[in-house]
Every structure is written in structure tokens, then in C-alpha cells.
């Protein structure tokens, strides 16, 4: 199959440091190539891939100090793709709704995976306007604000099984990984660690929009000797960081669409203690790969239970549910569904045109 994968340009594929969407796009692209498909990846020029790379910008935009406006580069990518659309059997977008207007007439060969939160007030109008566009969700919970949208299926993220190996958790610390922002609640993670009397290692980035929150709410809490702020880490560092942790704490306060850190922890055999918002209940098997809790009190109480979980069984559950092979299989099934429905729609439209012509005659 001739497949175009269209990634955002904020991070490379895979990202050098933090990055969720681009990381998933990279895993999917490389697995599709491994399976023998002809894949073209539209991504930043510093991406590493075995696919054919189409790069509208030299480097990831978030790390490019010369980039002041990321939109022009995304429009360049979409323009180049539109000119070569006939070269692909299916075009898989990971760029939110940015491409909808340009590719609405080509909906029958597109699939759009929505990676972000969908409970924002300005999203329903765009999904209604472009109701023809086939959509994929990354969790069933993600769909809740717009259950009527044109969903073709849900595909949970997957990781290469060889990316991480099981850890022993002998570092003696709790881990927090991701972003420093209000909805991720690093302050709750710090409180959980303090009350448990355990060190907390924080591997996270601070976006520009969250710098005030970091300086006023989080930085003062880092004076505690139990708390260590590491900053952003790469994939190569993530294995030991998560594998050596007693548990990953995931005290979110928002409808998390997926939570890639959850399956990264599972791939390392690391148990998870997570607040039950958004997709968490779809990902964590309570009492097997971790514990789903409601507040800080329950999180603290769950730590000894999490430490007692079988890390080999956690890794096994990851392999059963969240491998990149499973993710690619699910997406290939959705590609086939899109193409079949597009063919049926084309046949029906042709029949309708023929009937209208016959009636006119």
C-alpha cells in the first residue's frame, strides 16, 4: 500500500526530547515500512526514518530559535502533499483539523487521527462543517465530547517491543514524566512523594505557556531534598528512568486523551498509580499494571500495593495490548475501511448522476 504519514512539525520524528504525537507517528511509520508498505513521511528535516522523507522545514520547529510562526511550514507541507495526492492510496493525517479544507474533496482516501483533547468549545463547528472527513480516536474516552463525529475507529498507541526492557525498580524513587502544566498536576505528584516519604524524580519539559505556573507553583516545591527536577529526557534515557522507578505517578486533572507515559512505564515493567480521568481506565488494568485512584490519599495508600505487583506480568500485558505491531494492524484495518466506504460512495454517486441524466433526457 502507498501510504503518506503527515506529522506535525513541532518535533522531529522521533522527537529528540519530549514529544508524543510525533513519537507515535514515527513508530507507526517505521513499522509500516518494516511490513513492506511504501511510506512517505511528511515531517521535519531532522527526522530519522526508513520511509521517504518530505521535509518542508530543516528542523523541528519547537527547537528552532529562528521559527516565530509554525503555520507557514505546515501549509507548505500540505501544499506539497496536495500536489502529489494521487501518488498515495491513503493519506494519514496527524495534524488536527489543519488540512480539512484542502482535502475535503479527497476525504475517501484520508484518515485523520486526533491526538488532543476534544472538549474545547470551538471544535464541534469544524467537525460539523467537515463531517465527511474520516476520523480515528486514540481512546474511546477522547470521543466523549463529540460522540457524533465521523469516527471510523479507536486505535490505542503502541510502542516497539524492543525499545525498552523490563526494569527492577531498584532506584527507590517515584517517577513523574511529561510536561509541567496545571492539568498534569506535578504539585500533586510532589505531595504524594512527600507523604509517602519517597524521593520523586521529575523528567518533564516546561513550555512557554507554562513558565509562570512553573515559577510560581512548582519551583518553590523543588527545595524539598526529596524532589529532583531533571528536565526533558530522550528515549535513550527514558528506559533507565522508568525502569529504576518504584512506580510512575500520573496524578492528572484533565481528560487525558491517551497518556503515552503509561505504556512507556508498562514496557519497562513499572507499575503505575494514576488518577482515573480520561483514557486512564482503558489503559491500566487495575491491580495488574497499576492502581487507579481518586485522590492523593488513595495514591499514597496504593504505593505499597504497586510495589508488590509483578513487573514481569506488567511487561507481558504491555506486549499483549500496546505493541507497535498491534497499532499498525489496527490502522491498516481502518485504511481498508476508509477505502471500501469511499468506493461505495463513488459508486452511489455515479449511479445518482446517471439517474439524474436519464431523468433529464
Amino acid at each position: 500500500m502507498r501510504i503518506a504519514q503527515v506529522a506535525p512539525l513541532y518535533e522531529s520524528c522521533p522527537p529528540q526530547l519530549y514529544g508524543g504525537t510525533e513519537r507515535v507517528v514515527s513508530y507507526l511509520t517505521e513499522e509500516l515500512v518494516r511490513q513492506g508498505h511504501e511510506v512517505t513521511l511528511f515531517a521535519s528535516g531532522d527526522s530519522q526514518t526508513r520511509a521517504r522523507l518530505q521535509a518542508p522545514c530543516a528542523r523541528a520547529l519547537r527547537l528552532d530559535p529562528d521559527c516565530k510562526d509554525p503555520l507557514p511550514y505546515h501549509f507548505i507541507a500540505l501544499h506539497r502533499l496536495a500536489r502529489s495526492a494521487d501518488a498515495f492510496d491513503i493519506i494519514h493525517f496527524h495534524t488536527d483539523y489543519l488540512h480539512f479544507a484542502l482535502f475535503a474533496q479527497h476525504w475517501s482516501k484520508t484518515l485523520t487521527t486526533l491526538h488532543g483533547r476534544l472538549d474545547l468549545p470551538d471544535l464541534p463547528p469544524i467537525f460539523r462543517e467537515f463531517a465527511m472527513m474520516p476520523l480515528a480516536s486514540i481512546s474511546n474516552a477522547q470521543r466523549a465530547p463529540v460522540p457524533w463525529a465521523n469516527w471510523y475507529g479507536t486505535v490505542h498507541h503502541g510502542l516497539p517491543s524492543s525499545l525498552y526492557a523490563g526494569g527492577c525498580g531498584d532506584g527507590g524513587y517515584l517517577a513523574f514524566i511529561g510536561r509541567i502544566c496545571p492539568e498534569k498536576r506535578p504539585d500533586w505528584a510532589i505531595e504524594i512523594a512527600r507523604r509517602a516519604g519517597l524521593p520523586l524524580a521529575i523528567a518533564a519539559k516546561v513550555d512557554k505557556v507554562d513558565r509562570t505556573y512553573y515559577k510560581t507553583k512548582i519551583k518553590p516545591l523543588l527545595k524539598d531534598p526529596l524532589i529532583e527536577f531533571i528536565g526533558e529526557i530522550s528515549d535513550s534515557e527514558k528506559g533507565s528512568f522508568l525502569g529504576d522507578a518504584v512506580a510512575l505517578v500520573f496524578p492528572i486533572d484533565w481528560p487525558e486523551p491517551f497518556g503515552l507515559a503509561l505504556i512507556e512505564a508498562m514496557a519497562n515493567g513499572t507499575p503505575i498509580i494514576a488518577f482515573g480521568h480520561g483514557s486512564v481506565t482503558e489503559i491500566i488494568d487495575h491491580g495488574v499494571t497499576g492502581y487507579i485512584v481518586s485522590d492523593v490519599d488513595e495514591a499514597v495508600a496504593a504505593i505499597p500495593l504497586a510495589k508488590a505487583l509483578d513487573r514481569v506480568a506488567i511487561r507481558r500485558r504491555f506486549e499483549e495490548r500496546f505493541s507497535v505491531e498491534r497499532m499498525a494492524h489496527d490502522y491498516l484495518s481502518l485504511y481498508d475501511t476508509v477505502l471500501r466506504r469511499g468506493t461505495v460512495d463513488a459508486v452511489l454517486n455515479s449511479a445518482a448522476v446517471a439517474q439524474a441524466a436519464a431523468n433529464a433526457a
Side-chain angles (χ1 to χ4, degrees), residues 89-330:
D89 300 312
I90 194 80
I91 303 171
H92 189 173
F93 291 99
H94 304 268
T95 50
D96 293 326
Y97 52 81
L98 196 62
H99 57 282
F100 280 7
L102 190 57
F103 286 88
Q105 292 184 335
H106 303 286
W107 70 264
S108 59
K109 61 185 303 178
T110 74
L111 180 68
T112 299
T113 294
L114 297 172
H115 289 263
R117 66 189 302 172
L118 302 181
D119 60 334
L120 305 176
D122 299 314
L123 292 179
I126 197 78
F127 294 142
R128 289 192 175 97
E129 181 70 19
F130 296 96
M132 76 294 290
M133 299 299 286
L135 307 176
S137 52
I138 58 176
S139 68
N140 293 325
Q142 183 195 27
R143 298 185 185 192
V146 285
W148 43 262
N150 192 23
W151 299 113
Y152 273 54
T154 290
V155 179
H156 289 151
H157 291 333
L159 307 177
S161 298
S162 60
L163 190 62
Y164 303 115
C168 299
D170 53 5
Y173 59 86
L174 299 173
F176 177 96
I177 191 168
R179 288 184 292 123
I180 298 296
C181 56
E183 60 266 27
K184 298 286 188 177
R185 296 310 300 249
D187 55 329
W188 284 352
I190 292 170
E191 183 179 352
I192 291 165
R194 281 175 165 174
R195 289 176 53 179
L198 287 173
L200 174 70
I202 302 174
K205 74 166 183 172
V206 183
D207 284 329
K208 290 181 181 179
V209 69
D210 296 312
R211 285 177 183 171
T212 299
Y213 170 75
Y214 168 72
K215 291 178 181 178
T216 60
K217 301 295 184 181
I218 302 303
K219 192 173 182 179
L221 302 177
L222 302 180
K223 297 176 182 178
D224 191 312
L226 281 176
I227 313 303
E228 179 185 10
F229 181 73
I230 298 171
E232 290 186 69
I233 61 175
S234 64
D235 253 359
S236 61
E237 300 169 296
K238 207 175 289 183
S240 58
F241 176 77
L242 290 171
D244 292 344
V246 170
L248 172 72
V249 287
F250 199 74
I252 56 169
D253 191 23
W254 74 304
E256 178 74 62
F258 187 84
L260 193 60
L262 299 177
I263 64 173
E264 290 173 336
M266 290 169 58
N268 284 281
T270 303
I272 305 156
I273 299 169
F275 287 26
H277 301 302
S279 62
V280 165
T281 57
E282 293 178 45
I283 300 169
I284 296 176
D285 292 308
H286 186 77
V288 178
T289 58
Y291 287 91
I292 301 171
V293 299
S294 301
D295 53 36
V296 170
D297 289 339
E298 290 186 9
V300 174
I303 291 174
L305 300 176
K307 291 168 70 173
L309 291 176
D310 184 345
R311 296 177 79 100
V312 173
I314 294 173
R315 167 70 188 193
R316 187 182 309 120
R317 191 59 58 93
F318 156 76
E319 292 172 349
E320 293 168 353
R321 297 190 57 203
F322 299 110
S323 71
V324 70
E325 292 87 355
R326 190 274 310 151
M327 177 173 65
H329 174 272
D330 290 352

Side-chain angles (χ1 to χ4, degrees), residues 338-357:
V338 169
L339 295 174
R340 285 199 308 271
R341 292 187 187 178
T343 300
V344 170
D345 186 78
V347 170
L348 292 176
N349 284 341
S350 296
V353 170
Q355 185 61 52

Side-chain angles (χ1 to χ4, degrees), residues 63-69 73:
L63 301 177
D64 186 349
D66 295 327
C67 177
K68 307 304 179 186
D69 183 358
Y73 303 98

Side-chain angles (χ1 to χ4, degrees), residues 7-54:
L9 303 174
Y10 303 106
E11 309 289 345
S12 60
C13 289
Q16 298 175 28
L17 295 170
Y18 178 87
T21 299
E22 293 90 346
R23 195 176 305 280
V24 172
V25 175
S26 176
Y27 297 151
L28 175 60
T29 296
E30 301 313 302
E31 177 59 23
L32 291 171
V33 171
R34 189 191 69 80
Q35 293 186 18
H37 297 281
E38 184 181 328
V39 186
T40 299
L41 173 63
F42 288 77
S44 63
D46 51 352
S47 297
Q48 301 296 316
T49 180
R50 291 181 298 155
R52 178 172 175 262
L53 181 62
Q54 276 278 8

